[in-house]
Amino acid sequence: MAAVEINWNPEEKDLRWFAGLQILFFGVVSVLLWRRTESVALCGILVSLSLVAGVAGLIRPASVRLYYLGWMLVVFPIGWVTSHLILGVVYYFVLTPVGLILRLCGHDPMLRRADPSATSYWQKRPERTDSDRYFRQF
């Protein structure tokens, strides 16, 4: 299973969320663009297109399905790279050092260290007689 997948058959609820969020997203983008370029015409066009697509999507979600799929195809590589990068960073810069530190300190929580004098590695557990535990498995 991939960390990021494209939803090829979005439900109406997903399309409505997308329409509403794209109004918000392009509103913020247009404000940032206006602050940087001071081009009112460009920001007006961006806000107008965003409002038209967003309101159409909120009223009739099926009308923005192709727009949604196109957007997902464009941003899919960004999500794929980001998710794999974050997983790699967590593994190599968090889990690996923690494991190395625990090994250097001699911590062996799974009792995997070889003991040549041991006759068996079997761990005795107390026997439980309570039959109600079968109904509470978790």
Side-chain angles (χ1 to χ4, degrees):
M1 184 172 149
V4 179
E5 293 180 1
I6 295 177
N7 183 6
W8 293 103
N9 297 313
E11 297 177 7
E12 283 192 2
K13 179 185 75 165
D14 297 329
L15 293 173
R16 278 198 176 98
W17 268 101
F18 172 74
L21 288 176
Q22 73 89 27
I23 292 173
L24 181 67
F25 174 76
F26 283 111
V28 170
V29 167
S30 66
V31 168
L32 294 174
L33 189 64
W34 175 73
R35 294 181 90 196
R36 178 170 249 194
T37 64
E38 295 185 10
S39 173
V40 176
L42 181 61
C43 294
I45 291 170
L46 189 61
V47 167
S48 300
L49 290 174
S50 174
L51 283 174
V52 167
V55 170
L58 290 172
I59 294 171
R60 190 166 178 263
S63 65
V64 293
R65 184 175 184 278
L66 289 177
Y67 179 48
Y68 171 86
L69 291 176
W71 185 263
M72 291 300 129
L73 285 172
V74 168
V75 298
F76 176 77
I78 297 169
W80 189 87
V81 169
T82 304
S83 65
H84 285 78
L85 188 68
I86 289 171
L87 288 173
V89 166
V90 167
Y91 182 78
Y92 288 110
F93 294 110
V94 176
L95 296 178
T96 301
V98 168
L100 289 174
I101 290 169
L102 289 176
R103 283 186 185 192
L104 290 174
C105 292
H107 187 67
D108 189 21
M110 293 177 60
L111 304 172
R112 298 183 308 160
R113 189 173 296 124
D115 184 9
S117 64
T119 58
S120 172
Y121 289 106
W122 185 264
Q123 297 290 320
K124 287 282 189 183
R125 300 285 182 226
E127 188 176 317
R128 295 186 182 179
T129 58
D130 183 19
S131 62
D132 286 341
R133 69 185 176 92
Y134 292 115
F135 298 105
R136 292 178 279 117
Q137 295 182 15
F138 303 105

